[in-house]
């Protein structure tokens, strides 16, 4: 008996909003890789893709969703910042018995905020929808991001059905409905308060670099023109008493010239005041992407240990 495809996966027109996972490639060590999976589509935009790596296991595993940085203007799910070797990041997660999901999202010149958060939420819904296929436990998902990805990870952890304007923040990309809550958040040097961050002067860009102001690009206008959107895009807005607050680990260089260390201090204080669990780990003397840190290995290890602890609780 031939079984028809679900309506959202019909091959007709318009194109489906997402595609089912591709068959995995199994490595010699038993890790199953699902590469280039289309978790969301929309006419006029590039397909949003994710990669999934799942260690060999008898039971479904917890998962970490990795969100890349790049000022919301650039970046690629396949590449951590140049200070963090991909083998170190991916290998540490997999060695801890966790699945790793690396996602792309729309850049700000493709679509302004909240498109980026919509994509992160869509990726989480997608992983839950196809958890059985991936071998992932849908109830044990955490997020980890760096820079712009840290900002998006914090927003993903703090927003949900309880949030003001929840529907506007959740979006309906890809798998349009489903739970987007997460069990824990690791935020590496992300922005937490856009209005305060704008007061910090941006480092000069090389001539001809062609980079617009990242905050204006994210908002689709200046903070003065769109103050409500700037508040909506600031994680501190949602770090309030009564909200569902997952545990946070914030790691930030104390001499970060791009995103001031104070951004993580503000979020840490807000989370604690709201009754949440937050750990702030300064990296003394380090600039953005941990430039100047003598060794990033302990930072990766601490992040994975934090995630594993909360995902196994």
């Amino acid at each position: 008996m031939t079984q028809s495809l679900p309506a959202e996966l019909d091959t007709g027109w318009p194109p489906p909003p997402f595609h089912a996972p591709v068959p995995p490639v199994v490595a010699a060590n038993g890790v199953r890789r699902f590469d280039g999976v289309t978790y969301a589509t929309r006419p006029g935009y590039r397909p949003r893709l994710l990669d999934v790596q799942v260690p060999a296991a008898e039971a479904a595993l917890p998962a970490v969703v990795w969100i890349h940085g790049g000022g919301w203007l650039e970046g690629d799910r396949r590449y951590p910042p140049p200070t963090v070797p991909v083998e170190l990041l991916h290998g540490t997660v997999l060695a801890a018995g966790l699945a790793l999901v690396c996602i792309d999202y729309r850049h700000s010149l493709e679509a302004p905020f909240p498109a980026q958060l919509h994509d992160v939420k869509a990726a989480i819904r997608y992983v839950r929808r196809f958890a059985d296929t991936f071998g992932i436990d849908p109830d044990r998902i955490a997020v980890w991001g760096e820079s712009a990805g840290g900002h998006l990870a914090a927003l993903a952890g703090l927003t949900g059905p309880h949030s003001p304007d929840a529907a506007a923040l959740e979006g309906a990309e890809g798998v349009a409905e489903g739970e987007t809550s997460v069990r824990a958040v690791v935020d590496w040097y992300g922005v937490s308060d856009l209005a305060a961050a704008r007061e910090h002067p941006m480092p000069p860009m090389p001539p001809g670099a062609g980079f617009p102001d990242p905050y204006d690009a994210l908002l689709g206008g200046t903070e003065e023109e769109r103050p409500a959107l700037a508040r909506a895009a600031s994680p501190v807005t949602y770090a309030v008493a009564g909200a569902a607050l997952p545990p946070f680990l914030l790691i930030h260089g104390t001499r970060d010239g791009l995103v001031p260390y104070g951004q993580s201090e503000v979020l840490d204080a807000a989370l604690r005041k709201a009754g949440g669990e937050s750990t702030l780990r300064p990296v003394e003397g380090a600039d953005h992407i941990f430039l100047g840190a003598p060794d990033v290995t302990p930072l990766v290890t601490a992040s994975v240990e934090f995630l594993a602890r909360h995902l196994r609780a």
Side-chain angles (χ1 to χ4, degrees), residues 24-64:
V25 174
V26 183
N29 60 2
V31 172
R32 292 182 300 128
R33 296 182 59 105
F34 301 80
D35 291 329
V37 179
T38 301
Y39 74 85
T41 68
R42 180 174 287 273
Y45 298 97
R46 62 191 167 101
R48 274 135 290 161
L49 307 180
L50 58 78
D51 301 333
V52 180
Q53 299 180 65
V54 185
E58 295 296 326
L61 296 177
V64 176

Side-chain angles (χ1 to χ4, degrees), residues 77-259:
R77 71 188 186 280
R78 297 169 295 177
Y79 308 117
T83 47
V84 182
V86 66
E87 296 83 2
L88 172 64
L89 183 77
H90 292 192
T92 307
V93 172
L94 298 174
L98 306 175
L100 178 63
V101 181
C102 299
I103 71 170
D104 282 333
Y105 53 88
R106 283 171 290 177
H107 296 154
S108 56
L109 294 185
E110 294 178 274
F113 186 85
Q116 297 71 33
L117 180 58
H118 288 174
D119 289 350
V120 173
K121 298 275 190 175
I124 294 169
R125 290 193 297 266
Y126 184 93
V127 170
R128 285 201 163 102
R129 171 70 176 267
F130 293 102
D132 287 346
T133 301
F134 292 132
I136 285 173
D137 184 342
D139 295 323
R140 294 189 291 164
I141 296 175
V143 288
W144 178 8
E146 61 95 16
S147 195
H151 162 262
L152 294 172
L155 281 174
L158 292 171
T159 59
H162 60 278
S163 305
D165 298 322
L169 295 170
E170 293 287 304
E173 297 293 314
V175 178
E177 296 180 348
E179 178 64 45
T180 61
S181 64
V182 297
R183 293 277 290 267
V185 177
V186 174
D187 174 358
W188 280 3
Y189 44 85
V191 172
S192 63
D193 183 338
L194 266 70
R198 289 299 303 270
E199 297 175 2
H200 179 75
M202 292 288 295
M205 293 293 173
F211 265 69
D213 182 288
Y215 299 106
D216 290 354
L218 180 68
L219 298 176
T222 67
E223 189 268 333
E224 292 78 14
E225 293 169 338
R226 301 193 168 188
L229 191 60
R231 288 192 298 273
S234 297
V236 291
T237 299
Y238 310 100
V240 295
L245 303 175
F248 269 69
L249 173 62
L250 308 168
I251 306 184
H252 207 134
T254 59
R255 300 192 66 181
D256 194 322
L258 189 61
V259 178

